[in-house]
Amino acid sequence: WSTSVKEHLEQGTQLLRTGNLGEALNHYHAAVEGDAKNYLAYYQRATVFLALGRHRQALSDFDAVIRLKPDFHHAKSERGNVLLKQGKVEEAKKQFTELLNLDPDKAQAGLSDLPVLEQAIEDAEASFENNDFANAIDQYDIAIEIAKWDTALRERRAEAYLKIGNIINAIGDVRAIAKLTNDNTGAYLKLSQLHYIMGEEEESLKEIRECLKLDQDHKECHTHHKKEKSTDCDSALIPLL
């Protein structure tokens, strides 16, 4: 290792311990740029990405670690956990199976969650199709407890909440989807529409503006924004009592 790479790793670790994630990330970026074959630089940067909720970038770094050092079981364990939380069942199963010889305890812990997740999803979908939305929500709860970053599961649970008229909880899931995915204009449009239904005009306007920030030419967002502005104008014409 060069002196500068070693210093960046050490400073990054110190900053990580004090919770200064942004500065720590900068040092790990510098370490990776200084030595693209340093598996620890990628691993440390991946841990910061995870702490920042940037799990896709963390997954990419764990991939790099495993390419550089295939027997580094910590990276394989963390990669399996990311895949599990993303709801990628087959990929997680493969990763935890590969981990069995290196870290059997962590591998078995991951593998034991997979059938629970698969069964919960199966039961949730069956209940949804049978219009038993309350039970579908219960099963989606179990699945999402394991696969926290699976946006498809949150979309389905939001649909189930809407079926029983629970708009507030549906908003919670759609908001999580907006945070989990980059540039998700659809999520912001949905949030705006739901707040509009709730009569929360300011929140609705706030979300539709987020959509338009991402895509100024988004037709559906423009249409809804015009509807919002029209509502504001109508409200201004209502005389105060």
Side-chain angles (χ1 to χ4, degrees):
W1 298 0
S2 69
T3 303
S4 61
V5 169
K6 184 178 180 181
E7 287 176 353
H8 280 304
L9 287 173
E10 290 175 350
Q11 289 178 44
T13 301
Q14 290 174 3
L15 289 162
L16 188 59
R17 285 172 181 161
T18 60
N20 196 333
L21 299 179
E23 286 299 315
L25 185 60
N26 288 336
H27 281 287
Y28 292 137
H29 281 323
V32 169
E33 289 172 6
D35 183 359
K37 294 184 178 180
N38 189 313
Y39 74 93
L40 280 178
Y42 286 102
Y43 182 75
Q44 292 295 84
R45 189 171 69 174
T47 62
V48 178
F49 278 141
L50 280 183
L52 291 170
R54 293 160 64 176
H55 52 271
R56 288 179 181 81
Q57 288 159 297
L59 192 62
S60 177
D61 272 358
F62 287 134
D63 287 342
V65 175
I66 294 167
R67 283 196 302 272
L68 292 167
K69 191 170 176 59
D71 63 343
F72 192 59
H73 65 90
H74 295 295
K76 289 191 172 184
S77 176
E78 292 292 346
R79 183 176 185 274
N81 286 329
V82 171
L83 292 168
L84 180 61
K85 289 177 182 178
Q86 290 179 333
K88 296 178 179 178
V89 173
E90 292 306 316
E91 290 180 61
K93 187 180 296 183
K94 180 181 178 182
Q95 184 63 86
F96 285 127
T97 301
E98 290 177 4
L99 184 63
L100 278 169
N101 291 332
L102 296 171
D103 193 336
D105 290 340
K106 287 185 179 178
Q108 289 291 356
L111 289 169
S112 67
D113 279 334
L114 289 168
V116 178
L117 174 59
E118 290 178 298
Q119 188 63 56
I121 294 172
E122 182 180 333
D123 292 345
E125 289 299 312
S127 294
F128 196 104
E129 293 304 316
N130 289 326
N131 296 325
D132 185 356
F133 302 114
N135 189 59
I137 289 167
D138 287 341
Q139 296 304 313
Y140 284 128
D141 286 346
I142 294 170
I144 291 169
E145 184 65 28
I146 297 170
K148 295 177 173 63
W149 302 332
D150 189 329
T151 56
L153 289 177
R154 289 187 180 274
E155 285 176 7
R156 288 294 274 174
R157 188 170 68 176
E159 289 178 36
Y161 277 132
L162 291 175
K163 292 288 187 181
I164 63 172
N166 190 336
I167 298 176
I168 293 174
N169 281 13
I171 286 173
D173 269 336
V174 178
R175 192 173 301 285
I177 292 167
K179 290 180 179 179
L180 286 167
T181 51
N182 295 326
D183 302 338
N184 193 330
T185 53
Y188 286 113
L189 174 60
K190 187 70 173 178
L191 283 170
S192 182
Q193 291 169 333
L194 292 174
H195 281 297
Y196 185 81
I197 292 169
M198 294 282 288
E200 298 169 347
E201 293 176 10
E202 287 187 15
E203 284 296 318
S204 183
L205 276 170
K206 175 185 171 185
E207 301 300 347
I208 207 66
R209 284 168 184 156
E210 288 298 320
C211 176
L212 292 171
K213 281 181 187 177
L214 294 172
D215 183 358
Q216 295 180 356
D217 300 320
H218 196 288
K219 291 182 179 179
E220 290 179 275
C221 285
H222 269 296
T223 300
H224 189 68
H225 192 218
K226 288 179 182 177
K227 184 178 179 181
E228 288 275 9
K229 290 171 73 176
S230 174
T231 302
D232 282 349
C233 290
D234 292 343
S235 298
L237 295 173
I238 299 172
L240 296 175
L241 297 178

